[in-house]
Amino acid sequence: MPTSLRPTISRVLSPSSLTLGVAALQQTMAMFAGLVMVPLIIARGIGVSAEDSTQLVGIAILVSGLTTFLQVSRWGVLGSGYLLVMGSSSLFIAPSIMAGKAGGLALVCGMTLAMAPVEALLSPAARVLKRLAPPLVIGVIVILLACSIVPVSIQQFMGGFNAGDDLASWRMLAVGSFTVVCTFLANACPWGIVRVGSVIVGLLAGSALAALFGMGDISHLSEAAWLALPQPGWTGLAFSLDFALPFAMLYVISAIETFGDIHAIAVVSGEKMSAVENRRLSGGLMADAVGSALAGLFGTVANTSFSGNIAIAELSGVTSRKVGVIVAALLIVLSFFPKLAAALTIMPAPVLGGSMLVAVAILLSVGLRILFSGQPSHGELMVAGMALAIGLGVQSSPAIATHAPAWLAPLLRSSICMGTLVAIVGNTCRRWSKA
């Protein structure tokens, strides 16, 4: 991996105030589109009014800020103390839309709140999972986390889901490619502040080229209000046993994702895998669970850690949790000012896609570094290869769960869950056979 992309301990531990601010703005810009996209997709899938959609998004931004603060701050049993940015979880899109069609937003939020304790109950088991998950397994999880972002990244890179006949046109590909090139060139710049803000440089350069090509629609920016007060609890709450198992299974998958994210950000921060404390693991999972519970209680969709932002931290070299505190404050402020929030969502799709592909590449490099940190044997590499094959196979062929029971289908369709399961079982069997 190029040295310009590797954080040094001095940069990680003692960034200046300007560096912290640039890194926090970069983290916020990189995750914001994904944060608002999930509640918007769910709102449109259910068919709620524009006013309700706006409220759903506003609460999602507020809860993401609150949960990010809990995650980075380590309050009692809450939080990992690492730079993990929290946001709306795309895992819950399908069950949330089904619940919404059956009982409206009250049922969506009620199920989000009622089943969040599933992940909280898994929090004490983090130490058990850690014993079952050597670098081989963690590396597989992080690689699959990166690969899970690839489909939407490529779609955005080509122009997005609403590109029509302009999908994958030379203009779209040129803007996306220009964003990628500018990001990496900025990261190789000798000026430290430019390296730290390389993602911002790429986004601004790509947006400028897109504007020259006539891309971008800013009409909805004028329609957004300057000030709006979120109304926690606005949806009411409802519950149905019919949706208990799907939501519970997805909270299990969310816990596995967060478990992998905690190890990934620890490695990016310069720590050894063996140095990750059980307290940090359990606290991270607990913060994830509390964040989703707050989401349901306040009136929005479930939260989880954003894997792509770990790659942004790797690219900038700044992993101070102070960055997370600033991100949390920015998100809370944005939840009260819809016009400012809307300004972060108007970047053209290929610009966002180019930035996401950079994040995928960096996150893959982190996963590979973890995988090979334990100097795996031929047998271990075979296990990792099979786990990745199964995980990527499930991702590309979700029809594998066509005839599965409703409670099992979410697990079978999850590349991360299936890949993790194969890696743990395969590695455990390999060690038993040698004993």
Side-chain angles (χ1 to χ4, degrees), residues 132 176 222 268 334 338:
L132 295 173
S222 60
V268 168
L334 287 171

Side-chain angles (χ1 to χ4, degrees), residues 351-372:
V351 177
L352 179 62
S355 178
M356 292 174 70
L357 283 178
V358 172
V360 168
I362 303 303
L363 195 57
L364 277 172
S365 72
V366 173
L368 290 171
R369 197 194 321 166
I370 294 173
L371 179 62
F372 287 99

Side-chain angles (χ1 to χ4, degrees), residues 80-101:
S80 65
Y82 289 121
L83 175 54
L84 279 180
V85 178
M86 311 296 289
S88 303
S89 174
S90 59
L91 279 174
F92 292 82
I93 289 177
S96 294
I97 290 176
M98 289 189 292
K101 289 182 176 179

